Amino acid sequence: DAKTTQPPSMDCAEGRAANLPCNHSTISGNEYVYWYRQIHSQGPQYIIHGLKNNETNEMASLIITEDRKSSTLILPHATLRDTAVYYCIVRVVDSSYKLIFGSGTRLLVRP
Amino acid sequence: GAGVSQSPSNKVTEKGKDVELRCDPISGHTALYWYRQSLGQGLEFLIYFQGNSAPDKSGLPSDRFSAERTGGSVSTLTIQRTQQEDSAVYLCASSPTLNSPLHFGNGTRLTVT
């Protein structure tokens, strides 16, 4: 599975959008981009995933560049409860079940 | 509905003792995973169960570690002769199929003194 690169930390103000970038320049055509987050003292929580089209659900939006070499997770109106470590993972569906977690981005939402 | 349940939530044990960690996956989920997370580190894959297939044990760090899954449901991770470097949070996850997102429990924090 391809490697991802994320900034170690970010912060944003409560109520504003949080935009978390991820680089995956070696991604293959059959690899999906997954996002999970881990709030302190809890297990990771699935947020969203996509292949090449932008995706949106009740938690977030995922924007994938046309060349698929990078993506951005958008939390449209960040709250204090969104403070967590956010992991961007690429995964070959149908053949790889081992999610490889990197270091992630520690997001701090400021009041 | 109920999520993935792990017990105990915390375990303190003396070096050299054996420990058992339990995972109750979400009902109907055929895939079950164990991960380990050391302090301030990312998640390290340990073992994967899928239905009645042979488990993938490739992530187990030594032969002191073993896991079983009975009846395709509950799983137990056993660590024999614990060492201080085994101290970590042990996370269990399940998913309905191979391609589905993983649902994680809140883990068991193991401290070996």
Side-chain angles (χ1 to χ4, degrees):
Chain A
D1 292 332
K3 180 184 165 93
T4 63
T5 304
Q6 299 177 253
S9 64
M10 294 182 66
D11 68 77
C12 75
E14 187 178 18
R16 304 298 294 268
N19 299 293
L20 291 91
C22 179
N23 283 327
H24 30 79
S25 58
T26 60
I27 194 169
S28 301
N30 60 348
E31 287 184 307
Y32 283 69
V33 179
Y34 280 76
W35 283 83
Y36 283 76
R37 73 179 182 183
Q38 188 171 23
I39 296 169
H40 183 60
S41 297
Q42 297 182 19
Q45 175 190 24
Y46 165 78
I47 301 173
I48 198 167
H49 74 283
L51 183 61
K52 52 185 176 181
N53 296 322
N54 297 337
E55 302 288 340
T56 295
N57 63 21
E58 65 278 5
M59 290 182 68
S61 294
L62 174 60
I63 308 298
I64 303 174
T65 58
E66 192 168 342
D67 64 8
R68 302 211 320 123
K69 293 186 177 182
S70 66
S71 61
T72 301
L73 179 75
I74 301 173
L75 307 179
H77 305 287
T79 71
L80 298 180
R81 289 174 297 178
D82 292 322
T83 291
V85 178
Y86 287 76
Y87 296 99
C88 169
I89 302 160
V90 293
R91 178 189 183 197
V92 178
V93 181
D94 285 337
S95 69
S96 175
Y97 44 78
K98 298 179 192 178
L99 291 184
I100 308 298
F101 286 78
S103 304
T105 295
R106 186 173 298 276
L107 174 69
L108 173 64
V109 180
R110 295 176 280 103
Chain B
V4 175
S5 177
Q6 293 187 246
S7 61
S9 55
N10 282 284
K11 176 72 175 178
V12 180
T13 190
E14 292 180 353
K15 177 181 172 180
K17 300 281 190 183
D18 298 351
V19 295
E20 286 189 352
L21 312 179
R22 177 187 168 105
C23 172
D24 283 88
I26 294 173
S27 178
H29 282 197
T30 59
L32 186 146
Y33 311 72
W34 283 97
Y35 282 81
R36 177 170 74 173
Q37 187 170 32
S38 301
L39 186 63
Q41 303 296 313
L43 277 73
E44 173 190 5
F45 168 80
L46 296 178
I47 188 169
Y48 164 75
F49 295 89
Q50 172 61 51
N52 296 320
S53 301
D56 178 348
K57 306 178 181 180
S58 61
L60 296 179
S62 78
D63 58 9
R64 296 186 294 104
F65 288 71
S66 63
E68 63 178 20
R69 188 178 185 191
T70 55
S73 181
V74 172
S75 177
T76 302
L77 177 69
T78 301
I79 309 173
Q80 296 178 309
R81 305 180 303 282
T82 52
Q83 303 295 312
Q84 287 187 329
E85 60 262 28
D86 299 334
S87 296
V89 176
Y90 289 82
L91 290 156
C92 176
S94 69
S95 66
T97 67
L98 172 63
N99 296 331
S100 304
L102 274 60
H103 299 258
F104 283 85
N106 285 330
T108 293
R109 180 175 299 277
L110 175 66
T111 303
V112 182
T113 61

